[in-house]
Amino acid sequence: MKRRDFFKTSLAGAAAAMATTLEAGVTRQPIDNRKVSEIAFPEKRPMITYSDRPPLLESPRSTFAQAITPNDEFFVRWHMPEIPTHIDPSTFTIKVDGLVERELNITLDFLKDPANFEQVTVTSVLQCGGNSRSAFQPTAGGIQWGHGAMGCAKWKGVRLRDLLDQAGLKKDAEWIGFNGRDNAAYYETPNFVRELHLDELDDHVILAYEMNDEDLPYLNGFPLRLVIPGYYSDSWVKMLSNITVTNKYKKLFFMDVAYRVPDNDCECETPEKRAKNTKPITKMNVKSIIGYPVNNEVIQMKSHVVVRGVAFDDGHGIRDVLISVDGGKSWKPAILDKGAAGRYAFRAFSFAFKPMKYGKMTIMAKAINKIGQSQPLAQEIKWNHGGYKFNGIDVVTVQVV
Amino acid sequence: MKKILLLATLTLAPLFAQVEGDIEVPYIPFEVKMGKGFDAVNANCLTCHSFGYVTNQGPQSKSFWRKKVQKMIVHFKAPITKEDADTVTEYLFEEYGNGEQ
């Protein structure tokens, strides 16, 4: 209880927002150190594997000791089991229809030609709304991810806005629907469609064909995917094939039933009393993860240890990452990278220290963004039934010998 | 006594990503508990997704599993009979339940 009291006094702003009494759910650190599979998927090194159909792969914690997540270690999450067995990039087309002046049906080559579209890049974090879900108790519905349902890559493609300009939006255009090439086993199953309101559209929203200077990996949406920096990955439609402009919002399962949190200040509820009103998960909250050392790592007494990790938010930008090596009693600022990759990217941090006591020790990381939002302690995070948006202060326990 | 068997009912799904050569997504033999009602799980659930997708939801209450089965019927339009829905729910709760109704 002492540690909790300390936080309530030292983090007045953050604590005030979170200081409600503990209810049914007691949130903890997510399940960590899951075994990496012995079986590698196409274009991937072996990863934590939850399902082969649809493919669900998690990056191990050690991935997050660097600011860019390698393509072959980047997490994978599909919803539909029928992913095309053959994509020919020379004939693949993207269709733009609905409330447009000119329907487009254009090839990848046309899209990649600078004569037709300005080619742009954005470095951005991609994170599943259910990342770290295994922190929630009672167990929330969904795959019990650890911290690795996220990654950061440099995405190259064309602006969605430029594409829509070429099609020419009609006056009453309001919603843009996105669909990909993955399909369900049954014809009647709704497609994994995402709708974006025109107001949500800015120049950072792109259709990407490259990830970290390579073609998109098959399992990350080859040959083309939607990139919406700052938003959770349920919006980033993979293997994008259709863009349909409408004037009316069409009710959709994944936006209207799944991927929602309680529409209240704490975005929380209890299993006994579920919130009546919910809202879609959209923008990501501030979060940091330690990539080195990992849990149970053995480090040497009085050696020079450099803690490394990444921090991010929805695009406000990271101001500070604070590190504690004494169980949360004291905090010191980590060194941040220069932020050259932009406000949507992982901000890499490092923190050097010398362990001076034998035995178990905890290392904690807490990110604060430029508008002062910071991470609460895991146990201060209130439950929601989907286990979405966990962003508790990261804790790694190591052994000093 | 419950037997743990490796499930091998699904065939390899060949997938193709890069320009050159076929790529296959591997089949992962997730551990399956052979309990009462597994045949219904095999027939109704594993047509669409792997067994890992089920077990990686964590241990859950009976009402959780019932709602998941209903979600498959209502939202994903899986043609599951009422009888099979009950059988599947019982199996999931028996083998992957948390003891709570």
Side-chain angles (χ1 to χ4, degrees), chain A residues 39-43 50-53 77 81 83 85-86 139-144 185-186 188-190 218 222 253, chain B residues 14-19 23-28 30 46-50 52-53 56-57 60 64 71 75-77 79:
Chain A
I39 303 172
F41 279 59
E43 301 164 283
Y50 295 100
S51 168
D52 48 347
R53 211 171 66 100
R77 198 279 189 248
I83 308 171
T85 55
H86 182 97
T139 310
I143 296 297
Q144 298 302 303
Y186 298 110
E188 295 82 4
T189 307
Y218 177 87
F222 179 85
F253 174 75
Chain B
L15 295 169
F16 185 85
Q18 301 286 31
V19 188
I23 297 173
E24 284 179 351
V25 166
Y27 160 72
I28 304 287
F30 289 101
L46 306 183
T47 343
C48 295
H49 57 75
S50 73
Y53 207 97
N56 284 310
Q57 304 272 327
Q60 297 283 5
F64 173 92
K71 174 175 146 186
H75 294 295
F76 288 87
K77 314 293 177 194

Side-chain angles (χ1 to χ4, degrees), chain B residues 1-9 27 29-43 46 51 54-55 87-88 90-96:
Chain B
M1 211 176 85
K2 281 166 194 138
K3 269 199 290 185
I4 294 189
L5 290 181
L6 298 181
L7 182 74
T9 54
Y27 160 72
F30 289 101
E31 278 188 357
V32 170
K33 291 183 187 170
M34 296 303 289
K36 190 178 166 225
F38 178 73
D39 288 350
V41 172
N42 199 9
L46 306 183
F51 201 69
V54 177
T55 57
T87 309
V88 167
E90 290 294 336
Y91 166 86
L92 292 171
F93 181 60
E94 188 62 33
E95 307 297 340
Y96 300 98

